Amino acid sequence: MSARVAVLASGSGSNLQALIDDCAQPDAPARIALVISNRREAFALERARLAAIPAQHLPRSRQESRQDYDARLVEALQAQQIDWVCLAGWMLLVTPVFLRAFPSRVLNVHPALLPSFPGLDGAAQALAHGARVTGATVHLVDEGCDTGPILCQGAVPVLPDDDLARLQARIHRVEHRLYPRALRLVLQGQPRVQGRVVYFDGQPQARTYEWFEG
Ligand code: GRF
């Protein structure tokens, strides 16, 4: 039976779209069973509706603690029997309340080669540092900000005439290939986390994919 995956997205949801498209393939080990956004205007919600996937707008009120919000989030996910959660441009930090409900079952995509350039604006950080190579990372989520064990990475060159928009677009294209592969990997490859390293079938990073796009 295919795993029931929820995607949490605060924005445009282009990574959500990549996951939806991959899960529509006949050999997909997962299906996107729920999309949640904290922002009503997020295009991610529209993408879910277009794909006939249940979508919920779940705003966090100003007075609400992060823990209380996460408890509501967990309730919404458990009500739909969700097995795995993919954060895709989710702009809220998750708390232990959330992670305890889905231990080692929360993924995130980040627009840099972690552990370089965590936090906001990964592509802008790469430009500001004069990095020659950056990329995208899919990792398991822990309590830190973009600190969890790495699952897959894709490298992207920073070209001499790049501006932020061009570099972001190049990183996005890699993310869209990487995230579906990472999800398949954790569902099919029996991941085991030891320290900071994820082993698949006993091999560190044996089935992750790395490539370089010009
Ligand atoms: C992506 O660049 C992702 O790495 C970051 O937020 C962005 C979301 O983009 N976490 P989209 O909403 O999936 O288009």
Side-chain angles (χ1 to χ4, degrees):
M1 218 175 70
S2 57
R4 291 174 64 79
V5 173
V7 181
L8 274 47
S10 303
S12 124
S14 67
N15 281 286
L16 162 66
Q17 191 65 54
L19 292 168
I20 291 174
D21 293 347
D22 192 61
C23 287
Q25 300 301 312
D27 66 338
R31 71 184 178 103
I32 309 298
L34 179 64
V35 172
I36 293 180
S37 182
N38 60 317
R39 293 178 60 232
R40 185 186 301 282
E41 65 278 19
F43 190 61
L45 290 174
E46 184 60 21
R47 291 183 196 269
R49 284 185 203 106
L50 290 170
I53 294 168
Q56 291 181 26
H57 170 223
L58 196 72
R60 179 181 157 206
S61 67
R62 276 170 204 264
Q63 316 79 285
E64 192 173 27
S65 71
R66 285 171 53 208
Q67 287 77 6
D68 287 351
Y69 178 76
D70 274 3
R72 285 201 295 132
L73 201 52
V74 167
E75 211 174 290
L77 294 164
Q78 288 177 340
Q80 297 299 320
Q81 290 90 42
I82 295 303
D83 304 307
W84 287 79
V85 182
C86 290
L87 309 182
W90 181 246
M91 296 308 285
L92 304 175
L93 284 176
V94 296
T95 67
V97 171
F98 182 88
L99 294 172
R100 272 199 300 269
F102 296 95
S104 293
R105 285 181 168 232
V106 184
L107 276 62
N108 182 46
V109 60
H110 181 77
L113 289 177
L114 292 172
S116 290
F117 312 139
L120 292 175
D121 304 322
Q125 291 188 56
L127 279 179
H129 280 263
R132 268 50 166 187
V133 178
T134 184
T137 302
V138 180
H139 63 96
L140 291 171
V141 176
D142 65 9
E143 290 175 27
C145 177
D146 303 321
T147 52
I150 291 167
L151 293 168
C152 281
Q153 290 189 307
V156 167
V158 182
L159 301 180
D161 57 347
D162 264 349
D163 58 17
L164 185 57
R166 282 166 54 97
L167 180 59
Q168 273 173 335
R170 199 174 308 116
I171 293 172
H172 253 118
R173 283 199 295 277
V174 171
E175 289 182 337
H176 299 161
R177 290 160 59 175
L178 209 58
Y179 213 170
R181 286 175 193 240
L183 181 59
R184 282 178 181 250
L185 203 58
V186 294
L187 293 175
Q188 296 171 331
Q190 298 179 344
R192 188 173 50 82
V193 181
Q194 205 176 312
R196 305 194 55 82
V197 180
V198 182
Y199 292 81
F200 293 99
D201 305 324
Q203 305 258 358
Q205 295 139 12
R207 293 168 56 212
T208 57
Y209 297 79
E210 302 184 26
W211 62 92
F212 202 94
E213 283 216 340

